[in-house]
Amino acid sequence: MQITDLAFDYAPVGLVVLENRIIRRCNRQFAATFGGEVAEFSDVPLAHYYPSIEDYSRIGARALDAMRDTGRYTDERIMKRSDGTLFWCRARGQSLTPDDPFQRGIWSFTDLSDERPLVELTHREREVAILTCRGLTSKEIGLELGLSYRTIEVYRARLLEKFQARKLAELVAKLSGMPL
């Protein structure tokens, strides 16, 4: 085995070679992170490891825009393991084909589960969280959602508890890095 193959196969971070967002090769850490054996990932669309096709499309469009400018992209997002469980992941990509950024690239995926646990939110909690991050008051959120401001305060209290935040500013800080 060549030294470059050793570096790829045994890297302490998940690595994949993608062609048009289809996995052509992955290393051991990628397979372990996403739950399977290396051979199981060959020629599999990366879309299988997103929570939804909407997430795949939205993140892909954002990545493509960035890669057209710089050839690189990085973000933190929620991904899906082979068994369907969701987890926080840092993704970084480098295009090898600048004229067509998704034609071929090398990407790394790092599991952030230990640093950033996933918090389950109801649909209404998610709405309140989004509007809170936009700076709306409880009364403004209540008007927008057709609820009383007291009901919004109950949802905010739940969010504070779920995110282990002591005050609204701390909650907004914790929510700001989370895709809602």
Side-chain angles (χ1 to χ4, degrees), residues 51-52 54-55 58-59 62 76-78 86 88 116-135 141 159 162-163 171-180:
S52 69
E54 293 81 16
D55 287 331
R58 180 179 41 79
I59 293 170
R62 189 170 58 223
E76 292 181 2
R77 63 177 81 150
I78 294 173
L86 302 177
W88 275 100
R116 200 172 204 187
L118 196 60
V119 176
E120 294 287 330
L121 298 178
T122 67
H123 177 71
R124 186 63 83 187
E125 288 169 339
R126 191 174 310 282
E127 288 178 319
V128 171
I130 289 168
L131 296 172
T132 297
C133 286
R134 289 184 187 156
I141 294 171
L159 290 168
K162 284 186 175 187
F163 285 91
L171 175 64
V172 170
K174 289 184 176 195
L175 290 170
S176 64
M178 181 177 154
L180 296 168

Side-chain angles (χ1 to χ4, degrees), residues 86-174:
L86 302 177
F87 69 103
W88 275 100
C89 183
R90 179 177 299 118
R92 292 183 171 141
Q94 170 69 55
S95 177
L96 303 176
T97 52
D99 293 337
D100 185 1
F102 281 163
Q103 183 181 355
R104 180 175 283 160
I106 183 88
W107 287 77
S108 70
F109 293 88
T110 305
D111 185 347
L112 300 176
S113 297
D114 292 337
E115 307 165 28
R116 200 172 204 187
L118 196 60
V119 176
E120 294 287 330
L121 298 178
T122 67
H123 177 71
R124 186 63 83 187
E125 288 169 339
R126 191 174 310 282
E127 288 178 319
V128 171
I130 289 168
L131 296 172
T132 297
C133 286
R134 289 184 187 156
L136 274 65
T137 66
S138 292
K139 288 182 182 180
E140 291 168 330
I141 294 171
L143 285 172
E144 185 154 329
L145 299 179
L147 300 170
S148 76
Y149 80 92
R150 290 178 193 242
T151 301
I152 300 306
E153 290 296 323
V154 169
Y155 280 113
R156 280 188 169 174
R158 285 187 202 158
L159 290 168
L160 287 166
E161 185 177 322
K162 284 186 175 187
F163 285 91
Q164 298 175 352
R166 292 180 306 256
K167 43 186 145 175
L168 192 59
E170 185 179 359
L171 175 64
V172 170
K174 289 184 176 195

